[in-house]
């Protein structure tokens, strides 16, 4: 799932054969929001798939979307060229447009308030820096099989959290 070198950055996408690109789909959600949540990830490389998921008792949709993307990139062991598909405009815009301003303003948004979910944004930026990531937005619940699958994984993880919350310790 990686390039030849463990320490050098991933090569630019135009230099990478199609079969060497890792495809990733991510999703996260809560019910209610905020409330118990789950996240799901599908990684595909050379036709081999790996699924990841998890959840938290008290979280938000945005936190679960960010967690899914960070978990996906942290699962890669070497610098890679990645196409990461997300149905979260919050994640895609944050990572491709907004974060440079946040960093320049010492993690303050345009209004001067601390950036929401700063811990997860920093985690995601750290996870992404060794890879060459193309951030692709996909419309949620539009029939894209991989997006539907990560939605199922996130929902299953949330339901597992809810069941655990019902069980007395």
């Amino acid at each position: 799932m990686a390039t030849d070198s463990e320490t050098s950055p991933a090569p630019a996408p135009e230099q990478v054969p199609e079969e060497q690109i890792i495809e990733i789909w991510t999703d996260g959600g809560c019910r209610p929001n905020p409330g118990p949540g789950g996240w799901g990830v599908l990684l595909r490389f050379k036709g081999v798939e790996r699924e990841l998921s998890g959840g938290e008792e008290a979280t938000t949709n945005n936190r679960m979307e960010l967690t899914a993307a960070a978990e996906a990139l942290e699962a890669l062991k070497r610098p890679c060229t990645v196409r990461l598909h997300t149905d979260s405009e919050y994640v895609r815009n944050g990572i491709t447009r907004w974060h440079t301003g946040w960093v320049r303003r010492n993690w303050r948004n345009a209004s001067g308030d601390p950036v929401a979910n700063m811990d997860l944004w920093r985690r995601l930026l750290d996870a992404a820096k060794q890879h060459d990531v193309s951030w692709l937005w996909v419309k949620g619940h539009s029939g894209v099989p991989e997006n539907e699958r990560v939605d199922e994984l996130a929902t299953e993880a949330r339901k597992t959290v809810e069941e655990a919350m019902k069980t007395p310790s």
Side-chain angles (χ1 to χ4, degrees):
M1 280 187 156
T3 61
D4 293 332
S5 170
E6 290 192 28
T7 56
S8 63
E14 62 275 4
Q15 300 172 341
V16 177
E18 186 69 24
E19 66 274 4
Q20 293 298 315
I21 297 173
I22 298 172
E23 297 280 351
I24 297 175
W25 288 265
T26 65
D27 197 19
C30 288
R31 185 174 287 166
N33 184 29
W39 56 269
V41 170
L42 172 65
L43 299 105
R44 182 181 295 148
F45 182 66
K46 293 185 177 182
V48 176
E49 294 184 352
R50 180 177 173 203
E51 295 179 342
L52 308 170
S53 63
E56 295 180 17
E57 289 184 12
T59 190
T60 65
N61 284 335
N62 285 343
R63 289 189 67 79
M64 291 292 89
E65 295 279 8
L66 287 165
T67 299
E71 290 279 348
L73 294 174
E74 289 167 354
L76 305 176
K77 302 302 180 200
R78 296 184 201 117
C80 300
T81 302
V82 174
R83 285 191 200 120
L84 192 145
H85 307 258
T86 177
D87 62 7
S88 170
E89 291 189 61
Y90 175 70
V91 170
R92 183 170 177 266
N93 287 333
I95 200 75
T96 62
R97 298 173 48 203
W98 305 331
H99 84 273
T100 53
W102 296 337
V103 171
R104 188 175 57 250
R105 292 186 298 270
N106 197 25
W107 288 95
R108 300 277 174 177
N109 63 25
S111 302
D113 298 320
V115 170
N117 304 311
M118 183 185 348
D119 59 327
L120 289 173
W121 283 114
R122 286 180 166 170
R123 178 180 170 193
L124 181 56
L125 286 167
D126 191 51
K129 70 182 172 187
Q130 71 173 319
H131 305 295
D132 181 20
V133 183
S134 297
W135 299 90
L136 307 171
W137 181 79
V138 60
K139 183 176 171 113
H141 309 288
S142 63
V144 175
E146 296 87 353
N147 184 256
E148 298 295 336
R149 179 61 187 145
V150 292
D151 179 68
E152 290 170 5
L153 290 170
T155 300
E156 290 167 10
R158 176 184 51 81
K159 288 179 178 178
T160 298
V161 167
E162 291 171 340
E163 285 303 313
M165 291 169 62
K166 293 177 187 175
T167 307
S169 302

